[in-house]
Amino acid sequence: MSSNNKRFFSRPLAIIVSLVVILISSIIAHNVQTSGGDVEVKDIRFVGDNGIVHSALMYMPSDMNLEEQHPAVVSMHGYINSREVQEPFSIEFAKRGYVVLSMDMTGHGYSEQFPADLSRGVTSGLNYIHNLPFIDDDQVAVEGHSMGGWSVLKAATDNPDLVNTVIQVSSSTETYGSGEVTAETPFNYGIVFSKYDEFAPLMWGVEKAVNANESEKMMKVFGTDEPVEEGKLYGSFEEQSARVYFSPPVIHPGTHWSTESIGTVVDFLNDAIPAPNPIDADQQSWKTKEIATFVGFIGAIMLLIAVLGNLLSTNYFSSVVRELPESKAVSNKWVWIVSSLVATAIPAATFIKFQEWGQAWFPAGSFLRQNITTGLAVWAVLNAVIAAVLLVIFHYTNKKNGATIANYGVTFDLKVIGRTILLALASVGVMYAVTVAVGGLFNVDFRIWVMAFKAINASQFYLVLTYVLPFLLFFIVNGIVLHGQLRMKESSTETKTAFKWFGANFLINALGIIVLLVIQYSVLFGSGALLWDKALITIIAFQFVVVNFIAALVSTYLFRKTGTIWAGAFVNAILITWYIVAGQVMHM
C-alpha cells in the first residue's frame, strides 16, 4: 500500500532540518572560501575584447591596500566544467595573498560563447586584470586545467608580455591551437600531468601518461633530448625561463581534487611569484569547503524529498495518491536476476556508442546547443525504446497472469497527471530557489567534485525546456521497468521495503555503469591506458553513478507515496535535465 502516515519527510520539521543543514554547510563553505574573512569573493561580469560577456569569481584580500601593487592569477577550468571546479586552486592561491580571477570558459557557466577565440576568454581576462590599478603587471600568472590549460597557454603565447608564469594542469602544448613552448619562450612554465591521465594520446602523443615526459613536445619545452625528469628545475625563475614537470598518481579529473597536485602548483607559483602571505603548501583548506558543499548537496536532496512529502499531505496534491497497484512483476527469482542484469547492462553497453551517434546525428545548432547533452539525450531515448520493446514482450507474456498497464503504475487520469506535473514543478522549484539564494548569499553551490546543482541563466533555462522531453521519456519507461516489471516483494516493514526497493532500483540503473568504470580504470591502472580510448565519455560516466542514485531515490520514494510512476518521472526529468544542462558547454 502507499504510505500516507506522517513519516519524517512528510512533516514540516523535515523541511526545517534540510534548510538548517543547507545553511550551516553553506556558511562553512563560504568561511573556507573567504579564509575566515581574510579574502573577499565577488561574482563579477565584464565585457571582453570581442564584446562577449565573461563571468568570473574574483578573490581579493579583504584588507588589500589599493594603492599598492599585488600579484595575480587568472585561472581557467576544463571542458564541461565551470569556475567552481577550480576552487581548490583558487582558495589556496587567494589565502596566500594573490588576487585570483577564476573565469567561466566561453560557452560555460555564465560566460557567453565565442568559438573564434581559442583562448576561450583568457586573453580578455588578462587584459581585464592588467587594467586594474592595484595589479602588478610584472607578477601575473595563468593556470588552467585540461582545455583550460590550452586556453591559458594560447593567451600566454599570443601575449607573452602579459604573463610571468604559465601553469598547465592535466593539459598540453600544441593541442587545438594552444601554442608552442620551447626552452626560450619568455615565461616560467609548470606542467602537472598525472600518471593515469586518460588523455595522454591526445595531449602528448603517447599511449601511456607515464611516458608523457618522453614525448617530443615536452622535451622541446624543457630544451632537452632526454626524457624530462620529474620535479627537476630546468632553466631559472630569475631569468623567467623556469620549467618543472610533475606527475601525481591520479586520473585526469583528479588533479584538481588532489592535495599533491595543488601543493606542487602552489609551490611552483610561489617560486615564480612569491606569495604576499606565504603559507606552506601542505596547509590546504579546500577539502573542508568541498565536504561542506557536499553536505549542502545532500541537504538539497533532503529538501526536495521533504517538500514532496509535505505537498503530498496537502488536500490539493493528496488527490494524486493512489494505492500501490497489485504487483504483476517478474516472480521467478532467476528470471528477475537475469532481467535485472539485462536492464543494467544495456545502458552501460550503449553508453559510449549511443552518445557518439547522438552528437553525430544532431550537431550543435541554434536549437540543440550542447553536444554532450544531445548525446546523453539520444542515449536516453534509444535506451527507452529498447526497454519499451522488452516491456511489450514481457507484458504479452504476463497477460495470462491478468496483468494490465495499471499494474505497472501507469494511469491515464489527466487530472492526476496534471497535478503531478505541478507537484514536480513546485518541488524542484523550491530546491532551485534555495540554490539561487545560497549562491547569492554565499557564492557557493551544491557540489561534490565536478557534480553540482547550480543556478542557471536564461539561455540554460531555455535548454532545460528543450532537453526535458527526451529525459522524461526515459524516466517514464524506466519507472515502468523498475516498478512494474522488476518490482520486488514487500518486506516485513515499510522501512525495510523502501530500502530494499531503493537499493535494487539503484543497482538496476547504475551497476552496469559502475562495471564499465571498473573495467576501464582497472585496465588503466594496470596497463597505463584505457581499454576503450574514449576518455571524455568514460569520465562523464562517473556522474551517472550519482545521477542514478538520486533518480532511484526519487523514483522509489514517489512510487511508494503515490502508487504511480508519474511523479517520479516528472521530478527526475526536470531535476536531472537541470543538473546536466547547468554543467555543460553551449557550443552555439
Side-chain angles (χ1 to χ4, degrees):
M1 295 179 63
S2 57
S3 177
N4 296 308
N5 55 327
K6 286 278 189 176
R7 293 181 175 274
F8 175 72
F9 282 102
S10 297
R11 300 173 184 170
L13 178 62
I15 296 177
I16 296 171
V17 170
S18 302
L19 290 173
V20 169
V21 169
I22 289 170
L23 178 62
I24 293 174
S25 62
S26 299
I27 290 172
I28 293 172
H30 181 69
N31 186 64
V32 176
Q33 185 187 56
T34 61
S35 294
D38 291 339
V39 174
E40 183 179 4
V41 182
K42 295 182 178 181
D43 183 358
I44 68 169
R45 305 289 184 274
F46 64 93
V47 178
D49 304 334
N50 301 300
I52 297 302
V53 175
H54 298 279
S55 157
L57 290 174
M58 176 167 273
Y59 303 70
M60 299 183 296
S62 299
D63 59 353
M64 184 171 66
N65 186 341
L66 298 180
E67 302 300 319
E68 296 180 354
Q69 303 281 289
H70 303 269
V73 181
V74 177
S75 176
M76 180 68 79
H77 61 83
Y79 185 58
I80 59 172
N81 288 153
S82 62
R83 60 195 188 178
E84 293 82 7
V85 176
Q86 281 290 97
E87 284 216 297
F89 289 103
S90 300
I91 288 170
E92 298 306 324
F93 295 156
K95 76 180 187 182
R96 288 167 173 81
Y98 301 99
V99 175
V100 181
L101 185 70
S102 180
M103 300 183 64
D104 272 329
M105 187 182 292
T106 50
H108 294 68
Y110 310 122
S111 289
E112 294 178 347
Q113 180 60 279
F114 191 74
D117 178 16
L118 292 181
S119 81
R120 302 171 186 88
V122 178
T123 300
S124 294
L126 278 171
N127 287 327
Y128 176 83
I129 208 82
H130 276 281
N131 282 330
L132 298 176
F134 50 83
I135 297 299
D136 185 340
D137 289 336
D138 295 326
Q139 301 287 291
V140 175
V142 290
E143 179 272 329
H145 179 270
S146 193
M147 182 177 280
W150 301 338
S151 304
V152 300
L153 184 57
K154 173 63 175 174
T157 52
D158 285 352
N159 306 275
D161 55 314
L162 297 182
V163 298
N164 172 290
T165 297
V166 174
I167 304 173
Q168 287 190 302
V169 181
S170 296
S171 195
S172 58
T173 63
E174 300 179 62
T175 314
Y176 291 120
S178 63
E180 179 186 36
V181 179
T182 68
E184 288 74 39
T185 304
F187 48 68
N188 301 311
Y189 174 85
I191 175 68
V192 178
F193 199 74
S194 61
K195 288 180 171 59
Y196 302 106
D197 196 293
E198 299 91 327
F199 291 97
L202 168 67
M203 292 189 171
W204 292 103
V206 294
E207 182 182 359
K208 301 177 182 180
V210 292
N211 301 131
N213 61 328
E214 301 173 6
S215 69
E216 291 184 9
K217 287 197 299 182
M218 190 174 292
M219 290 190 291
K220 180 201 301 185
V221 171
F222 285 76
T224 178
D225 294 328
E226 301 293 329
V228 176
E229 295 182 37
E230 182 180 0
K232 177 182 175 180
L233 174 63
Y234 293 71
S236 73
F237 289 104
E238 291 76 12
E239 297 178 1
Q240 213 164 294
S241 63
R243 305 283 186 269
V244 181
Y245 159 69
F246 305 102
S247 186
V250 293
I251 62 174
H252 180 88
T255 47
H256 48 46
W257 228 56
S258 158
T259 54
E260 182 177 344
S261 300
I262 294 165
T264 56
V265 169
V266 166
D267 275 338
F268 184 83
L269 178 62
N270 182 67
D271 288 339
I273 304 174
N277 180 31
I279 300 173
D280 192 273
D282 292 334
Q283 297 183 35
Q284 300 178 23
S285 55
W286 61 269
K287 277 190 176 180
T288 303
K289 184 265 178 186
E290 291 289 311
I291 292 170
T293 54
F294 180 47
V295 172
F297 186 104
I298 295 170
I301 299 302
M302 288 173 57
L303 177 65
L304 174 68
I305 299 296
V307 170
L308 285 165
N310 279 268
L311 287 177
L312 286 168
S313 298
T314 64
N315 290 333
Y316 184 79
F317 287 111
S318 63
S319 61
V320 308
V321 175
R322 298 288 185 270
E323 294 292 322
L324 282 179
E326 179 186 0
S327 178
K328 296 292 182 180
V330 173
S331 57
N332 182 279
K333 180 177 72 174
W334 293 109
V335 175
W336 186 92
I337 291 173
V338 171
S339 300
S340 298
L341 289 174
V342 170
T344 197
I346 293 175
T350 60
F351 192 75
I352 294 173
K353 184 54 67 176
F354 282 4
Q355 287 190 65
E356 291 179 336
W357 287 355
Q359 293 180 44
W361 295 343
F362 305 104
S366 58
F367 182 63
L368 300 175
R369 300 174 63 187
Q370 295 185 333
N371 278 344
I372 300 295
T373 308
T374 299
L376 289 168
V378 170
W379 168 73
V381 168
L382 292 179
N383 273 279
V385 171
I386 293 171
V389 171
L390 295 176
L391 276 171
V392 169
I393 296 171
F394 164 73
H395 177 64
Y396 275 97
T397 61
N398 201 28
K399 286 178 71 175
K400 64 179 180 294
N401 296 323
T404 68
I405 193 72
N407 294 113
Y408 308 144
V410 180
T411 175
F412 293 105
D413 185 325
L414 295 182
K415 180 180 178 181
V416 169
I417 294 174
R419 291 195 178 186
T420 302
I421 293 173
L422 292 178
L423 174 73
L425 291 171
S427 57
V428 179
V430 169
M431 178 180 166
Y432 181 77
V434 172
T435 305
V436 172
V438 165
L441 290 170
F442 303 109
N443 279 324
V444 298
D445 52 18
F446 302 130
R447 76 168 48 243
I448 178 71
W449 196 24
V450 298
M451 294 162 276
F453 286 104
K454 57 178 293 182
I456 56 177
N457 59 25
S459 296
Q460 292 166 327
F461 176 75
Y462 166 77
L463 285 186
V464 170
L465 299 179
T466 302
Y467 286 108
V468 72
L469 288 180
F471 292 109
L472 175 60
L473 174 63
F474 172 82
F475 284 116
I476 289 172
V477 176
N478 183 248
I480 298 172
V481 171
L482 297 179
H483 308 304
Q485 181 185 7
L486 298 175
R487 192 201 315 180
M488 302 187 79
K489 294 178 181 179
E490 297 273 347
S491 293
S492 57
T493 67
E494 164 74 16
T495 301
K496 287 181 179 179
T497 302
F499 276 102
K500 181 174 74 172
W501 285 17
F502 162 67
N505 292 338
F506 167 64
L507 289 175
I508 290 168
N509 278 354
L511 183 60
I513 299 295
I514 294 171
V515 171
L516 172 65
L517 288 168
V518 169
I519 292 172
Q520 283 282 68
Y521 284 94
S522 294
V523 174
L524 174 65
F525 295 145
S527 70
L530 292 170
L531 179 61
W532 299 288
D533 186 17
K534 303 293 181 181
L536 180 61
I537 294 179
T538 299
I539 291 170
I540 290 171
F542 278 110
Q543 300 193 44
F544 278 80
V545 177
V546 176
V547 165
N548 279 312
F549 184 93
I550 296 169
L553 177 65
V554 170
S555 183
T556 304
Y557 178 76
L558 287 174
F559 180 70
R560 292 196 62 78
K561 290 288 290 185
T562 67
T564 75
I565 56 95
W566 295 118
F570 287 127
V571 171
N572 273 329
I574 298 169
L575 183 69
I576 301 307
T577 306
W578 161 29
Y579 168 88
I580 293 172
V581 167
Q584 296 301 321
V585 55
M586 296 271 200
H587 289 92
M588 300 293 289

